[in-house]
Amino acid sequence: MTQKLLQMMQAKGYFNRHKKILVAVSGGADSMSLLHFLYNHQKDLDIQLGIAHVNHKQRQESEHEEAYLHHWAEEHKVPFHYSAFSGKFSENAARTFRYEFFKQVMKDYDYSALVTAHHADDQAETIFMRLLRGSRLRHLTGISAIRPFGTGQIIRPFLHLTKAQLPVTFHFEDRSNTSLAYLRNRIRLSYLPTLSQENPKFKEHLCLLAEEIGLMEQALGELTKDISITDLSVFQQQSDAVQLFLLQNYLDSFPDLQLSKGQFNQLISYLRKNASGKMPLKNGYELVKTQTYFLIRKEASISLSPPCLLEFGKSVEFEDYTLTFSEFNDVSNTDAISIWSDAPIVIRHRKEGDKIDLGSHHKKLRRLFIDNKILEKDRQKAIVGEQDGHIIFLYVAGRLYLKKRPENAILYGTVVIYKNF
């Protein structure tokens, strides 16, 4: 089997364009199988290996696994690159962290390919997961064997093999792989085995379905390649079905946009109308539509002021405003905020997790913005006043939101917000 696998890799030419490759190694069965196979056949494939490992710090055993891989790399004279996950853990956050780390290593050490151990069982699980989540047809193509990644490519040479066909070697067992708390584990351990009782080739058929969808998408792309998508008159002349495909194809150019189905439907409905103008999308993007064309672009970036400290008896300028902190006074045509402490006030923009005590409840600023339909550009410019580690006021789009007055508090002074002219 090992010789057949080598011949298959050589025939597919996975590494013809690559000399230095980075192998993603977790320590589990699949990645260790990949590592040993590539190490044993470096000369046959004319490659030089490096190992990339991320310790997710979620299990006690992870320290031992990292130490083992580090020792193995030193013993076999293979470069070892590692990092430890930081932040709030989730499957999504961990995956993002891993792949950003891999990209950075590739860039810093001139690796032209990242190689992972995904196999046909992973492919079937991915397709089934996307079906459950209601993904669009084009996203049911599953995992690609080769695609652009970082400063080079990501290659998955095991993708056409089942897990049972992989070479067996020493590896670590991750107990979390048996936990039904994770959707992928439930798919692997429960859903797919149950459906395979009805049809033993169910996983194989899922992979073939993904392959056929991929070919269909390729054919549609070739048939519509001469259509100028953003020419509005050309776009509106197409049938609804072709418009749907063209717009989805165009949106693939903006991988960080990620519109929901509802947002996509609003977008295509707007493009089918004769009106022109701008439509805010998400993640800083907007649609620009004229009488003759349309395009999606990043909204003009907003330059934001750094945080500053407002002390009693002083003033600071922040964005288009001047803020003063002084004894109580009643100034008309301004926004005045009662202050109940003599501590300095940090004047800043919002940050992740910010919330304010409105009296009856605490509210995250993100939710407050959504509930009050605050535009994204105004959210970015919002002024936050923080005192003694608590947000005491929020000023956004001309509206003022105040922290609940402390019990038995004595008025100390007033912050007044003036608009600069």
Side-chain angles (χ1 to χ4, degrees):
M1 185 63 207
T2 300
Q3 195 59 35
K4 287 183 179 179
L5 180 55
L6 174 63
Q7 291 171 357
M8 181 271 290
M9 285 192 188
Q10 291 172 324
K12 289 185 176 292
Y14 285 133
F15 305 111
N16 288 355
R17 294 172 49 190
H18 305 285
K19 187 72 175 179
K20 287 183 67 177
I21 67 169
L22 185 66
V23 187
V25 183
S26 66
D30 304 341
S31 65
M32 292 298 284
S33 175
L34 175 67
L35 173 62
H36 282 271
F37 178 87
L38 292 177
Y39 178 80
N40 292 334
H41 295 286
Q42 284 187 94
K43 290 184 179 179
D44 299 316
L45 297 168
D46 191 24
I47 54 176
Q48 298 172 9
L49 300 185
I51 294 173
H53 174 74
V54 174
N55 184 340
H56 292 103
K57 300 287 185 179
Q58 299 302 301
R59 300 175 295 115
Q60 292 182 345
E61 299 91 339
S62 64
E63 304 301 322
H64 174 60
E65 293 163 10
E66 179 186 313
Y68 173 86
L69 290 173
H70 202 162
H71 177 74
W72 189 96
E74 286 184 345
E75 188 177 25
H76 292 81
K77 296 181 172 54
V78 175
F80 184 69
H81 311 277
Y82 64 97
S83 183
F85 176 81
S86 59
K88 186 177 180 181
F89 183 83
S90 70
E91 286 185 276
N92 232 13
R95 185 184 186 282
T96 300
F97 184 93
R98 279 197 308 276
Y99 281 90
E100 288 303 315
F101 170 66
F102 297 153
K103 286 179 183 178
Q104 193 61 50
V105 172
M106 289 175 68
K107 180 179 179 182
D108 292 344
Y109 295 92
D110 296 322
Y111 291 101
S112 61
L114 172 73
V115 188
T116 70
H118 293 92
H119 47 72
D121 290 23
D122 293 322
Q123 180 77 294
E125 291 164 13
T126 298
I127 296 161
F128 192 80
M129 183 184 294
R130 291 177 180 175
L131 276 169
L132 282 178
R133 289 175 170 169
S135 295
R136 289 193 177 277
L137 191 66
R138 64 175 48 230
H139 298 138
L140 297 182
T141 51
I143 310 167
S144 302
I146 302 178
R147 69 171 177 82
F149 179 80
T151 53
Q153 291 182 321
I154 186 168
I155 301 174
R156 301 177 175 104
F158 285 173
L159 200 57
H160 299 289
L161 302 175
T162 65
K163 186 178 181 68
Q165 293 174 309
L166 301 186
V168 179
T169 187
F170 170 81
H171 63 274
F172 294 97
E173 291 290 348
D174 184 348
R175 287 179 295 175
S176 66
N177 287 337
T178 61
S179 170
L180 297 181
Y182 302 106
L183 175 58
R184 184 175 284 274
N185 288 355
R186 294 197 296 275
I187 291 173
R188 178 187 303 124
L189 302 173
S190 179
Y191 305 157
L192 290 181
T194 298
L195 291 167
S196 294
Q197 290 176 11
E198 298 292 338
N199 182 348
K201 291 190 174 182
F202 181 68
K203 288 192 288 186
E204 181 183 337
H205 292 329
L206 279 176
C207 294
L208 290 173
L209 173 65
E211 189 175 329
E212 191 169 334
I213 291 171
L215 291 172
M216 184 191 69
E217 288 286 329
Q218 182 181 339
L220 285 171
E222 292 172 359
L223 291 170
T224 58
K225 63 181 173 60
D226 294 326
I227 296 178
S228 179
I229 297 175
T230 57
D231 185 322
L232 201 57
S233 62
V234 173
F235 180 83
Q236 291 179 339
Q237 286 174 7
Q238 309 304 315
S239 67
D240 287 357
V242 174
Q243 286 179 1
L244 192 80
F245 173 80
L246 290 174
L247 185 57
Q248 287 181 358
N249 224 28
Y250 180 55
L251 288 172
D252 282 346
S253 305
F254 310 95
D256 57 333
L257 180 52
Q258 298 297 314
L259 295 181
S260 67
K261 288 182 179 179
Q263 291 165 334
F264 177 87
N265 291 338
Q266 288 179 342
L267 175 59
I268 200 166
S269 175
Y270 184 64
L271 290 175
R272 288 167 176 166
K273 296 176 181 177
N274 292 325
S276 58
K278 295 182 180 179
M279 179 180 178
L281 300 174
K282 61 189 290 190
N283 297 337
Y285 283 95
E286 65 179 357
L287 170 77
V288 179
K289 182 184 174 199
T290 71
Q291 294 296 322
T292 57
Y293 73 91
F294 70 89
L295 62 85
I296 290 173
R297 68 183 184 188
K298 278 277 190 183
E299 293 180 288
S301 60
I302 298 174
S303 178
L304 299 177
S305 300
C308 59
L309 199 64
L310 176 59
E311 297 178 298
F312 184 76
K314 296 185 178 180
S315 300
V316 296
E317 289 193 4
F318 192 81
E319 298 300 346
D320 300 325
Y321 297 89
T322 298
L323 296 89
T324 66
F325 185 10
S326 60
E327 293 183 358
F328 176 75
N329 58 76
D330 183 15
V331 183
S332 59
N333 300 321
T334 60
D335 290 290
I337 304 155
S338 297
I339 303 297
W340 315 97
S341 167
D342 61 351
I345 302 168
V346 177
I347 306 299
R348 61 172 176 81
H349 289 295
R350 64 175 175 137
K351 59 186 180 183
E352 188 68 28
D354 274 347
K355 58 184 177 182
I356 186 169
D357 180 3
L358 297 176
S360 59
H361 62 288
H362 286 76
K363 193 161 196 171
K364 287 192 173 182
L365 298 197
R366 178 177 174 275
R367 175 47 58 186
L368 186 149
F369 291 149
I370 293 172
D371 292 347
N372 291 278
K373 297 180 171 56
I374 305 294
L375 297 176
E376 179 62 31
K377 62 180 181 180
D378 292 323
R379 299 180 192 187
Q380 293 184 50
K381 286 280 192 178
I383 300 175
V384 172
E386 179 183 318
Q387 189 179 48
D388 295 325
H390 299 283
I391 292 177
I392 58 172
F393 70 83
L394 168 69
Y395 188 75
V396 57
R399 307 178 205 174
L400 190 59
Y401 300 88
L402 302 175
K403 179 183 182 293
K404 175 188 175 183
R405 173 182 174 176
E407 291 185 13
N408 304 317
I410 298 174
L411 183 64
Y412 182 82
T414 304
V415 168
V416 181
I417 304 177
Y418 299 90
K419 174 76 172 176
N420 297 333
F421 295 100

